[in-house]
Amino acid sequence: MLIGVPKEIKDNEFRVGLIPSSVAELIHHGHTVVVEANAGIGSGLTDADYVAAGAEIAAGPDPIFARADMIVKVKEPLASERRKLRRGQILFTYLHLAPDAEQTHDLVGSGAICIAYETVTSPSGALPLLTPMSEVAGRLAPQVGAHSLEKAQGGRGILLGGVPGVPAAEVVILGGGVSGSHAATIAVGMGANVTVVDRSAEALKRLAAQFGTSISTVFSTRPAIAELVKRADLLIGTVLVPGAAAPKLVSHAMVRTMKPGAVIVDVAIDQGGCVETSKATTHSHPTYVVDGVVHYCVANMPGAVARTSTFALNNATLPFSIALADKGWQQALRDDIHLRNGLNVADGRITCQPVAEAHGLPHVKAESLIGL
């Protein structure tokens, strides 16, 4: 199989779909890999590194999209990239289709085989290709939140950990999953007063066992969230419903009750955000203010630490990339129900039910497309 790796073109996106060691593994399996010139430079990976691993270098994206049997990316294809996709071509990347009608319609129209990292599952029910980036985004959230709390950034002028004689900031984290628990780790380490909210009793028990008395845990109800939002200096939203749009747990009315200069970091923005006033931002313009509250809603947060993120992502995606290349998409999906769960769009049809429901479109089961 010929595998193509185009350079990411989303705003300030410096990650890359394959690192040189992944390229070498795929070539060892008998495949050809073509990488766009300077695709890895933002992650500290040169064209020479890729050539040494056995890759071909293409001057631009057009020959890659024209030739490749499978495109391996990081972020969802932008409109200019979607126009280059062709019927039967495999696209393996993050997609986040539920809040993105335009991308969904374009991918359906392309006829491409679109497999989303974020809906591939594991035997335990986890999301192994989303987890590494959830870890990174969770750890970044208190860091960018602390920066946004600085007065020069429009925040309250509060140091997250306080100092002797001055209280630390109140950090409220919505969601105790992967991102939420990693956000709590960093916020606790920075000395903040941390409260984590979740609707799963098991998650709350796990958090209590992990952090002990370093954090407070609260069962998620609307009144509880409303009260905590009022108190928060930094509100971090990490709620995830796999494949579906994030639920709006914080209403605009709740945002109006927040302290002037308080900060919201909506990690769930890739799936539409869990705060009603959230809208996707970029690393170039990461924040905006609504009712005196600073919103940080960058849709590709891990791109800020591209090298760490790229290597962490490749550690998770490479076995699946090899399976798709070795077997072809149909056989790979027949053999692995968890990779099959990653199929979102194929041959002009939506195969992920939450995506179809989000856009009011018909849905077919992946099994019907692979002969099961």
Side-chain angles (χ1 to χ4, degrees):
M1 185 177 284
L2 197 157
I3 300 155
V5 183
K7 184 178 171 121
E8 297 294 323
I9 61 172
K10 195 178 181 81
D11 180 274
N12 279 276
E13 180 52 72
F14 299 114
R15 290 173 288 179
V16 62
L18 294 176
I19 59 177
S21 59
S22 298
V23 169
E25 285 292 314
L26 286 160
I27 289 172
H28 177 71
H29 280 249
H31 307 293
T32 301
V33 181
V34 182
V35 179
E36 185 176 347
N38 295 318
I41 202 73
S43 294
L45 303 167
T46 67
D47 290 349
D49 294 329
Y50 283 101
V51 170
E56 299 177 23
I57 302 297
D62 290 350
I64 291 176
F65 280 91
R67 294 176 56 200
D69 303 301
M70 177 166 68
I71 299 290
V72 178
K73 279 177 44 63
V74 178
K75 288 305 291 178
E76 73 281 354
L78 300 188
S80 62
E81 296 172 305
R82 298 195 293 266
R83 288 192 288 270
K84 296 180 174 71
L85 294 170
R86 64 178 191 274
R87 183 165 294 277
Q89 189 174 47
I90 302 168
L91 173 65
F92 193 33
T93 189
Y94 288 115
L95 292 174
H96 299 292
L97 292 177
D100 193 340
E102 182 180 352
Q103 185 194 177
T104 302
H105 284 284
D106 286 353
L107 294 183
V108 168
S110 75
I113 312 303
C114 306
I115 301 170
Y117 293 159
E118 72 271 11
T119 59
V120 174
T121 56
S122 73
S124 68
L127 303 170
L129 306 191
L130 186 61
T131 292
M133 297 303 94
S134 296
E135 292 170 345
V136 171
R139 285 174 175 261
L140 274 173
Q143 180 176 313
V144 299
H147 180 60
S148 299
L149 275 170
E150 295 173 11
K151 194 64 178 177
Q153 306 305 316
R156 299 194 69 216
I158 288 180
L159 183 65
L160 208 64
V163 293
V166 181
E170 294 289 337
V171 176
V172 175
I173 301 170
L174 302 180
V178 175
S179 285
S181 60
H182 280 263
T185 297
I186 301 304
V188 167
M190 295 175 79
N193 294 321
V194 179
T195 302
V196 183
V197 184
D198 203 286
R199 66 178 180 178
S200 165
E202 288 302 314
L204 296 177
K205 289 177 185 176
R206 171 177 51 76
L207 290 162
Q210 179 180 353
F211 292 101
T213 57
S214 297
I215 68 169
S216 298
T217 57
V218 174
F219 187 80
S220 180
T221 64
R222 191 169 181 83
I225 291 172
E227 185 58 36
L228 288 167
V229 165
K230 289 181 193 176
R231 289 167 32 194
D233 297 301
L234 171 58
L235 177 69
I236 299 173
T238 70
V239 180
L240 173 70
V241 178
K248 302 295 185 187
L249 298 186
V250 178
S251 67
H252 193 165
M254 291 182 195
V255 172
R256 290 193 189 101
T257 71
M258 296 182 74
K259 305 167 187 175
V263 172
I264 294 171
V265 177
D266 199 339
V267 178
I269 195 64
D270 272 334
Q271 294 293 129
C274 61
V275 178
E276 191 175 20
T277 48
S278 292
K279 61 182 180 182
T281 61
T282 65
H283 287 292
S284 294
H285 299 93
T287 64
Y288 61 93
V289 178
V290 175
D291 293 324
V293 176
V294 179
H295 291 57
Y296 180 102
C297 303
V298 174
N300 58 327
M301 284 179 65
V305 286
R307 187 173 178 88
T308 297
S309 298
T310 289
F311 279 77
L313 181 60
N314 267 249
N315 291 344
T317 58
L318 179 59
F320 296 99
S321 296
I322 290 173
L324 288 166
D326 284 356
K327 301 176 180 181
W329 72 273
Q330 290 179 308
Q331 189 60 49
L333 268 57
R334 288 188 201 105
D335 291 348
D336 187 347
I337 187 174
H338 302 294
L339 181 56
R340 194 187 314 158
N341 289 334
L343 188 67
N344 278 214
V345 176
D347 196 26
R349 287 168 280 186
I350 297 174
T351 57
C352 180
Q353 187 171 351
V355 171
E357 290 175 352
H359 301 300
L361 295 171
H363 155 261
V364 300
K365 291 186 175 181
E367 287 79 1
S368 67
L369 302 181
I370 58 176
L372 287 181

